[in-house]
Amino acid sequence: MTADGRARVLIIAGSDSGGGAGIQADVKAVTALGADAATAVTALTVQNTLGVTGVMETPIDFIAEQMRTVFDRYGVQGVGALKSGMLHSVDVIDTVADLMREAGASLPFVLDPVMVAKGGARLLREDASQALIDRLLPRATVVTPNLPEAEVLTGMKIASLDDMIRAGRVLRRQGASAALVKGGHLTGDRLFDVLVCADGVAVFEDSRLETRHTHGTGCTTASAIAAGLAQGMTLVDAVARARVYVRTAMETAPGLGAGHGPLNHAHPLRNDRPTLSCFASGRR
Amino acid sequence: MIDQACKPGQMPLPTSLCGRVLAVGASDAMGRGGVQGDMKTLTALGVFCATAVTGLIADLSRAPAASRIVDVPAETVAAQMASVLDDIGADVIKTGWLRHADVIEAVAEQVERKAGRALLVVDPDMLAPGGAPLLDAAAIQAFKARLLVKATMLTPSIGEAAVLTGMSIDSVDDMVQAAMMLTTLGPEVIYLKGREIFGDTVTDVIVTDGEPHILEAPRLHAPRTTGAGTALASGIAGGLARGLKPRDAVELARLHVREAIIAALGTGDLNPLDHGYAFARVQGSAPRWLTEEGER
């Protein structure tokens, strides 16, 4: 909880015009899990379910200005957790790391090492992976790579559950407090995610969902974890809730677009909401 | 899209996902107004929201005087809109912060392409807090000539209605007169937000089918209402996207915003809306812990 009693997540990520990933997924997920979201937009992507067709990068100093404004206005105590997504270049990574140090607090920080968009567009320059490892991994409460991202970060080839556990341990040695290695890219009927943390190794297991509506699952998982940390949950509880939230969001996806469709971020809506009088009968 | 929750008589606030809104507006890093406010409101109303960002702002409530603006070029605004409209689609396009004539022109062109398929809700973000104009004369001209004429619905504050009509608005009678005058600029429906007229009652005016209706509610003594105007407009857009008629969409938005203000009471004055009341708790499912050697 924060100074004003609102669990708030500061999201540092790109904007996805299609509403399925990026800060859009983040803001929706954080809201649906009962926390408040503030944002520092790192880039505007022109994007839909088929892919990315354009990127406008935010001026570096303005990424800093957004973060500084949120820290100044809500207070550092008014921010309960940080979550980062698309940080396309070394300069952006350095700026975000500097601002985190400037804020001075050891805030919970969820690092989603976004590298490639669902449609294949590269969102992190090749030379930036090392900066991510050097500057941000040591600050991460948890890093949340999928398998291709974990391979880039660790230099390992990951082809099994055992490899995932090993990769998680490497990521901890590289400085992250914990690693959630997501196994969606492995084949097989069962789906495994592995959380390697100070308490040991936790394995989350589910049946595999066959769906094309997977746009923004990584962003959504990371921000759902950040919302839990801002709300004072333990890491393992925050991860457990985030996974159930994302899975239901995939299962109830609205089926929009011709490619990788967005999730249903609103599925936790209560069914005992207030009633209003309806004036006009029928529809518009 | 058909909203199964909508029945004549009584209707609960939405409990499941239905409808699509494309929100065109600024990004507010503070997360209260702009597309962030739109997304929070629409998620709480069970409506899918895509976005076209027109400008990046650190604190929308202080712009432009005390918060810098990074303008997004007109072609990038248009590209974001086209990318959404040509793949995901939209039942309603909702516009907010549009500061420059070329951006307004680009938005109007995208709206035109989807004429007849998507409704247009225009929230005329024309004044900075304190009342300074955000749009220059060319932008106001483009706004009226290109956008307002296509709008299904216009949702001005009293200050914005005064700019658009040239009237001075000091009473409920003035509000009715201004709202009727605004229908001559193009929009079929006007929802004039009256919270700037002080008193224990907040009076809003809605004009539908050429008839004014007065909506009253007791004023909630919330510290400030940054984001409430945006939330009302996006809530209305969400109601229309769900298939409601304008009058019902307005009731939906008013009830939600009221609940969100009540939920935030006592949590400080920086973010007076808390949309979290709309959601039930999600239960996680526990993992299996491996022993040191690995148990498999």
Side-chain angles (χ1 to χ4, degrees):
Chain A
M1 280 297 165
T2 59
D4 61 355
R6 300 281 292 277
R8 182 169 295 110
V9 179
L10 170 55
I11 295 149
I12 308 149
S15 160
D16 169 7
S17 57
I23 62 152
Q24 285 74 5
D26 298 326
V27 170
K28 292 174 185 182
V30 168
T31 302
L33 292 171
D36 190 37
T39 58
V41 176
T42 58
L44 298 179
T45 67
V46 177
Q47 187 173 174
N48 56 28
T49 71
L50 296 166
V52 177
T53 54
V55 177
M56 175 189 143
E57 295 181 4
T58 306
I60 298 283
D61 63 332
F62 196 72
I63 296 174
E65 187 168 327
Q66 293 173 85
M67 290 180 68
R68 219 173 256 136
T69 298
V70 171
F71 282 131
D72 286 351
R73 294 276 277 139
Y74 289 119
V76 175
Q77 303 304 318
V79 177
L82 300 171
K83 182 252 160 172
S84 71
M86 175 183 174
L87 307 171
H88 40 276
S89 70
V90 174
D91 281 350
V92 174
I93 290 165
D94 280 342
T95 299
V96 170
D98 290 346
L99 259 289
M100 285 171 67
R101 193 168 54 194
E102 189 181 305
S106 53
L107 284 170
F109 168 41
V110 180
L111 171 60
D112 183 20
V114 172
M115 295 180 182
V116 175
K118 196 65 81 188
R122 194 161 181 97
L123 299 179
L124 181 75
R125 289 183 197 135
E126 308 231 8
D127 61 349
S129 315
Q130 194 57 45
L132 202 73
I133 293 168
D134 294 340
R135 300 284 332 259
L136 290 180
L137 213 51
R139 293 187 173 270
T141 307
V142 61
V143 59
T144 62
N146 59 28
L147 293 192
E149 290 159 354
E151 288 185 342
V152 170
L153 292 174
T154 62
M156 288 174 55
K157 181 92 195 110
I158 303 172
S160 67
L161 179 56
D162 286 337
D163 291 347
M164 288 167 63
I165 294 168
R166 269 195 292 278
R169 291 192 169 125
V170 170
L171 288 164
R172 289 198 71 214
R173 277 200 295 278
Q174 287 174 311
S177 296
L180 177 69
V181 182
K182 297 173 295 184
H185 287 75
L186 287 184
T187 51
D189 296 343
R190 308 300 295 172
L191 183 126
F192 298 97
D193 293 343
V194 174
L195 178 67
V196 183
C197 60
D199 294 333
V201 178
V203 178
F204 295 88
E205 181 176 349
D206 276 308
S207 60
R208 179 176 294 278
L209 282 179
E210 285 308 327
T211 173
R212 69 180 169 92
H213 303 299
T214 55
H215 193 83
T217 48
C219 307
T220 303
T221 302
S223 28
I225 295 170
L229 296 177
Q231 288 165 325
M233 296 171 79
T234 64
L235 176 61
V236 66
D237 286 349
V239 170
R241 182 180 69 166
R243 292 184 74 266
V244 169
Y245 172 70
V246 172
R247 187 176 172 90
T248 310
M250 289 168 75
E251 285 169 343
T252 61
L256 299 174
H260 296 289
L263 313 183
N264 171 13
H265 287 98
H267 69 80
L269 282 171
R270 307 176 69 97
N271 48 24
D272 58 347
R273 301 188 73 184
T275 302
L276 65 142
S277 299
C278 198
F279 285 84
S281 54
R283 32 209 78 261
R284 60 174 159 81
Chain B
M1 295 237 180
I2 298 297
D3 189 347
Q4 294 169 337
C6 180
K7 299 261 165 50
Q10 294 286 303
M11 175 177 79
L13 287 175
T15 57
S16 62
L17 196 66
C18 169
R20 303 157 297 176
V21 171
L22 168 55
V24 184
S27 163
D28 176 22
M30 291 288 284
R32 303 183 289 182
V35 297
Q36 286 83 353
D38 293 326
M39 288 191 280
K40 291 175 182 181
T41 304
L42 288 165
T43 303
L45 290 175
V47 177
F48 180 80
C49 178
T51 59
V53 175
T54 58
L56 299 173
I57 303 173
D59 184 353
L60 192 54
S61 73
R62 292 177 165 195
S67 194
R68 187 154 65 99
I69 297 162
V70 174
D71 283 316
V72 176
E75 60 268 26
T76 307
V77 174
Q80 293 174 83
M81 290 183 72
S83 173
V84 172
L85 293 170
D86 293 342
D87 175 41
I88 292 157
D91 303 296
V92 175
I93 299 169
K94 183 247 170 189
T95 65
W97 173 279
L98 302 171
R99 211 161 60 113
H100 300 291
D102 60 340
V103 172
I104 292 166
E105 177 65 35
V107 171
E109 279 172 17
Q110 292 298 320
V111 171
E112 257 160 29
R113 281 203 311 122
K114 297 291 164 181
R117 279 170 288 174
L119 303 179
L120 175 62
V121 174
V122 174
D123 191 25
D125 236 334
M126 311 179 78
L127 299 172
L134 289 172
L135 280 66
D136 60 21
I140 290 178
Q141 171 59 26
F143 182 79
K144 284 185 173 176
R146 296 288 286 128
L147 208 60
L148 272 195
V149 293
K150 297 182 182 59
T152 312
M153 190 152 174
L154 179 71
T155 61
S157 64
I158 284 181
E160 291 154 351
V163 171
L164 288 168
T165 59
M167 280 179 58
S168 151
I169 304 172
D170 301 308
S171 66
V172 174
D173 284 346
D174 291 346
M175 286 175 68
V176 170
Q177 199 187 333
M180 294 298 285
M181 193 186 292
L182 287 170
T183 60
T184 63
L185 299 179
E188 300 150 39
V189 185
I190 308 294
Y191 176 56
L192 177 50
K193 297 172 279 193
R195 70 192 157 106
E196 294 153 61
I197 291 183
F198 290 100
D200 287 338
T201 302
V202 180
T203 304
D204 297 340
V205 172
I206 178 170
V207 179
T208 55
D209 301 318
E211 288 291 321
H213 308 272
I214 291 168
L215 308 176
E216 290 185 327
R219 185 178 292 275
L220 291 169
H221 291 279
R224 287 167 55 181
T225 49
T226 301
T230 299
L232 279 170
S234 40
I236 290 167
L240 295 175
R242 294 189 74 97
L244 301 183
K245 290 191 173 177
R247 181 81 191 272
D248 291 332
V250 166
E251 293 296 332
L252 175 74
R254 281 162 54 94
L255 179 57
H256 169 66
V257 169
R258 191 176 178 78
E259 293 287 324
I261 291 174
I262 290 170
L265 287 177
T267 61
D269 62 356
L270 272 171
N271 196 340
L273 296 186
D274 183 352
H275 301 280
Y277 86 91
F279 300 97
R281 201 176 284 267
V282 175
Q283 288 293 336
S285 114
R288 170 167 58 92
W289 289 91
L290 297 190
T291 57
E292 198 56 46
E293 299 78 38
E295 65 180 27
R296 295 169 309 105

